Each structure stands twice: as C-alpha cells, then as structure tokens.
Amino acid sequence: MAAAVVRSDSDALSETDTPLTRGVLAVVYAAAEMPLEDCKALMDGFQAAMARGLAGQESDLKMLPSFVTELPTGKEAGTVYALDLGGTNFRVLRVVLPGDGGEIKTEFRSFALQQCHMTGCGEADLFPFLASCIKETVEQLEGSLPGADEPLPLGFTFSFPTQQSALNQGTLISWTKGFCASKCVGCDVVAMLQKALNALGVHVVVKALANDTVGTLMALRPKEPNTSLGVIFGTGTNGCYVEQMSKIGKWTGGDVTSGRQCINIEWGNFGASVPSRKLLPVTRHDEALDTESLNKGEQILEKMIGGMYIGELVRRVFNAAADAGEIMSGRKERIEAGGLNTELASAIEASDAPGLVKILEQLGVPAPAASDAKALQKIAMAISGRGARVSACAIAAIVQHMERVGTPTVVGIDGSVFKCYTNFKARIEACMRDIFGDDALHIKLQLSEDGSGVGAAVIAATA
Ligand code: GLC
C-alpha cells in the first residue's frame, strides 16, 4: 500500500487536491501532466519576465544583448577557428566557410576538462588549459602555428551568462552547470582567453564571443532563413531569439543599422524568484536537488530539463518512492548518487520489460520485481515529459512574444537531450499543438548540428 505523505508546500498540487492521501509517485506524475491552463500561465509569466529583463528591471530572465545585429547570409568566407566551451567536454573547431552558401567544412578536436579546471583558478588553471588545447589543435590542423603577420581569427562560444559590452568583450555574470572556477565571475572572459593565448605565443585573435544558443541560431540561418530562435537542450538549457531594437529598452549602445539584435534569454534561470517558481511544476525532489547544487536558488528551470539533472531527478524520485513504501516492497537497496545519468534515463524509457530488469540490476537492485522496473520507466517518462512540456511553453512564449504565431518559424536546436533523449522532440511538438492547435505546425524544431561552434565561427568571420 502506498504510504501517505505530507506534501511540502512546493509540491505541485492544485487547490482541490487532497495532499494527505497522495504519495510520492502521484505527486510526481501529476506535476508532469501540466494541463493547458498551467502551460498558458507559465507562458504569461515567462513573457512578463522577458519584458522586465528587456526593460532593465529586476527579472529571472537576464535578456542579454549579444551584439550580434546582422544575421548571416551564407556569404561569410574564410578559415576561422572556434572554441566551444559549455560543459566538461569542449571542442576546438576549424571551420572553413566557402562564401557561396555552399557546404561548410569543419574539423575538430575534443578535450575533457578535469575537475581542477572547473573548480580551480580560472586565470591559473582553466584559461591556460584552453589556450594550450587551441595551440595543439591549430598546430595539428594547420601543420604549423600562424605567424604574427597572419593571425588566425577565433570565435569563442562561451555557454554561460555573460554581460557583453562589445562583440569581443563580455564579463561572466555567474557560473552554471557545475562550474565554479575562481577569478572569473566579473572578469572579461575574452581578455582572459587572449591573455592565455598570448602567453603561449599563439597568434590567434579572439574576434567574437557568443553564447551557444546564439551560435546555434546563426549556424542554421543561411540554410533556413526563417530561423528566429536558437535553443540548447544539452547539459544545460537556454534560448535566444531575434528581437527588434525598439523593444530592448535597456539598450544604451547606440544605433543599430539592422534594427534588430539577438538576445540571449538565459531561460534556465526562470523560477529563481518565488512568483515565477510558482508557475513551474516543481516538487520537493527538485528543491532537494537545488539545495545540494553549487548554484542554489538559481537556474530552477534548467534543473528540470538539463541533461545534467534529468537522470539525477529520476534517481531521487525512485528512491523516495521506495522509502515511502510505494515500490520495492520493503527492499533496502537504493540507487546510489551519481548512478543514474540522463543517458541511462533515456535508455530506460526506450527499454522493453527484460531490458528494464537488466538496467535495474546494473543499478544495484538484483532480481527486481517487474513492477519496480516498470515504475522506474514511468518515473523517467514523467520527469522528461515534464521537461518537454516546460520546454514547449518557453518556446511558445517566445514565438508569441515575437508575434509569429501562424508565421513559418524555425527553431534551431542543438544539444544531447534534443538529439538523443527518447521522444523528447515529439513531446515538445505535442505540447505545442496543445497550446497553439494547428498553428503549431508552422513552428519547425530543426537540429542545428554543431551549431554552437560553427555559429561562433560565422560571427567571428563577419567581425
Ligand atoms: C546554461 C548557461 C547558458 C547556456 C546553457 C546551455 O544555462 O547559463 O548560457 O546557453 O547552459 O548550454
């Protein structure tokens, strides 16, 4: 029998629910449903936060100007390097832009950050390491290092909230996604990278700084001229879009010929303030995860959707349901911290019954009951399904803000959750159909492969 639990204040129950009779699983499954009226309320709150951010008022949504005011046409030409940093693995890319709208050629090297790079000193550990990886890649791919008279341009994809003051200047506002390297917040990350490159005598010039969402939008635009949003569903999550300059009330940067600019929303931070958190279907499991995170109280929406968190949430809910006696019939085994990542959560959703039993065995539950294995799958579906609905609401809110409902709109998307997570894309599309009906058919979610790196190179090429 399911044990009765007293809900925490934040469990996503409606007024009419009788919390004392609801168990862990019932609360989590209900939170995942997100009825249409909740989706619409979330969209309204999201749009209000966008408006405040654009006006320079206090808001969960930072609405950061990217200084990208011209959209690429495919005429950009040249060989440009890109550094794509946003998670534990990063890449250095060599991008050849043909200039005639033809195929862009990319080669890249991948590197892994060690814990010391993410949590040590930015100036002494992280940036010197990044510069050394750029040096190694350039040497390999060019055959030698460039001379001082022929420096190579580089676009820096830096996927963290950054306040830019120019295309090639930006200070880190705060770390996200488990990074906490010291002496970086409040510093110009372009200057730090350039200094580290100079120290190694590498003639590479950092021409542009771009968020991964902005790169993703830019990379797809020449192929898909209706691309108006760039989105990442990866380790973290975020979106950007093309805004009219007249709507960016806080802009003090002077005239912009095109009359528009790409805005990095930093949507992962929605829910940091109490009123917006109330619009998200958060449960006590989300709150516990947040409390134990490096950036407590921040990035609440991201912690419901990001690849860094989905698997961990599934684990927490499974264990909590077992603790409450709703599953596992009194068995004592629990899934260990760090044992269930998002890739595995996706595999759980795609598994048949024997596959599920095997996975639960790998997770430390020998000979599990079929019902417990099935419950694990249902929990994963609830957590990722909720993430997909919240994602759909964010995209829908932006499309509506842009007054593009019913107008063909392409959303350029990159990131492992979008590319690999079972049914994630289809669930976003289903929720957008709930919200917009047939008008949702005008919104195309399109993979922008390698968009984050290639886009930064495109931006650097025009700088
Ligand atoms: C985090 C970062 C944001 C980035 C996103 C996806 O939310 O703050 O800048 O775009 O992750 O990588």
Side-chain angles (χ1 to χ4, degrees):
M1 260 307 275
V5 290
V6 181
R7 76 171 171 114
S8 82
D9 284 344
S10 59
D11 274 351
L13 294 173
S14 69
E15 303 267 307
T16 51
D17 283 322
T18 48
L20 289 173
T21 62
R22 296 178 42 136
V24 169
L25 293 176
V27 170
V28 169
Y29 297 157
E33 270 167 25
M34 280 194 82
L36 188 56
E37 56 189 15
D38 292 4
C39 292
K40 295 220 159 136
L42 174 53
M43 285 169 63
D44 288 348
F46 197 91
Q47 285 170 351
M50 286 175 75
R52 283 196 301 276
L54 288 171
Q57 295 161 4
E58 189 73 28
S59 175
D60 287 3
L61 300 181
K62 297 186 182 74
M63 308 299 286
L64 301 168
S66 65
F67 287 74
V68 171
T69 56
E70 297 294 336
L71 297 169
T73 55
K75 300 231 167 72
E76 301 72 27
T79 298
V80 188
Y81 274 78
L83 168 65
D84 186 357
L85 174 72
T88 28
N89 295 314
F90 71 93
R91 306 199 302 174
V92 181
L93 299 90
R94 179 181 194 267
V95 182
V96 182
L97 304 164
D100 58 3
E103 202 193 327
I104 294 174
K105 290 208 178 71
T106 54
E107 284 175 89
F108 65 86
R109 296 284 182 273
S110 293
F111 301 89
L113 291 177
Q114 306 300 315
Q115 198 60 23
C116 67
H117 302 125
M118 290 166 71
T119 60
C121 170
E123 203 182 356
D125 302 312
L126 177 62
F127 281 89
F129 180 63
L130 297 173
S132 70
C133 295
I134 293 172
K135 180 177 182 205
E136 186 184 317
T137 308
V138 171
E139 251 174 342
Q140 275 180 19
L141 299 181
E142 301 298 318
S144 63
L145 284 172
D149 49 340
E150 276 178 312
L152 280 168
L154 178 133
F156 183 12
T157 308
F158 184 68
S159 306
F160 301 94
T162 307
Q163 188 78 57
Q164 290 194 226
S165 44
L167 190 59
N168 63 349
Q169 235 171 39
T171 55
L172 175 62
I173 300 171
S174 56
W175 283 120
T176 52
K177 300 178 286 193
F179 278 67
C180 64
S182 62
K183 292 198 187 158
C184 294
V185 171
C187 299
D188 178 359
V189 292
V190 173
M192 288 178 84
L193 181 61
Q194 192 65 64
K195 192 173 158 201
L197 286 164
N198 295 349
L200 291 178
V202 183
H203 299 294
V204 167
V205 180
V206 188
K207 292 272 193 189
L209 178 68
N211 187 259
D212 50 357
T213 55
V214 177
T216 298
L217 193 164
M218 300 296 278
L220 192 62
R221 178 93 183 189
K223 250 191 285 169
E224 291 273 11
N226 289 327
T227 309
S228 313
L229 286 82
V231 169
I232 299 288
F233 294 119
T235 306
T237 184
N238 186 15
C240 76
Y241 71 108
V242 183
E243 182 57 289
Q244 305 299 317
M245 286 307 300
S246 58
K247 287 197 190 164
I248 314 175
K250 66 180 171 186
W251 177 255
T252 52
D255 284 351
V256 165
T257 323
S258 67
R260 58 192 183 182
Q261 173 162 199
C262 219
I263 294 288
N264 167 16
I265 300 174
E266 285 294 329
W267 79 25
N269 195 46
F270 191 80
S273 68
V274 175
S276 53
R277 191 172 309 188
K278 284 194 173 145
L279 298 170
L280 291 170
V282 289
T283 67
R284 66 183 168 91
H285 314 289
D286 301 288
E287 292 192 335
L289 181 148
D290 174 49
T291 302
E292 289 165 33
S293 69
L294 280 175
N295 53 349
K296 180 174 182 304
E298 292 168 17
Q299 303 291 108
I300 301 300
L301 182 145
E302 176 159 279
K303 288 170 184 163
M304 303 172 85
I305 300 176
M308 188 166 167
Y309 308 103
I310 290 178
E312 171 60 9
L313 282 172
V314 174
R315 181 190 79 84
R316 282 169 183 267
V317 173
F318 182 88
N319 286 353
D323 290 347
E326 295 175 33
I327 54 173
M328 294 279 278
S329 321
R331 294 181 59 151
K332 294 283 171 275
E333 300 95 338
R334 297 291 179 265
I335 304 173
E336 273 177 33
L340 205 168
N341 62 24
T342 298
E343 206 182 326
L344 190 57
S346 173
I348 287 168
E349 290 197 35
S351 279
D352 56 10
L356 283 172
V357 166
K358 259 193 219 135
I359 291 176
L360 207 41
E361 285 185 330
Q362 279 164 24
L363 290 172
V365 184
S371 57
D372 291 337
K374 196 73 202 154
L376 180 65
Q377 186 174 54
K378 251 186 111 180
I379 293 167
M381 283 174 170
I383 297 294
S384 70
R386 180 186 68 163
R389 285 187 85 78
V390 170
S391 303
C393 293
I395 294 173
I398 299 162
V399 171
Q400 200 170 58
H401 169 91
M402 296 174 86
E403 295 174 23
R404 289 189 72 96
V405 179
T407 308
T409 299
V410 177
V411 186
I413 312 185
D414 201 358
S416 50
V417 171
F418 183 72
K419 283 200 281 195
C420 308
Y421 200 100
T422 311
N423 292 331
F424 196 75
K425 179 183 179 205
R427 286 187 188 138
I428 296 179
E429 285 167 343
C431 183
M432 286 202 305
R433 272 197 304 278
D434 289 351
I435 294 169
F436 288 139
D438 283 351
D439 278 339
L441 300 173
H442 296 290
I443 304 170
K444 185 165 143 201
L445 308 182
Q446 169 84 48
L447 177 67
S448 173
E449 187 83 55
D450 290 341
S452 54
V454 170
V458 171
I459 298 167
T462 51

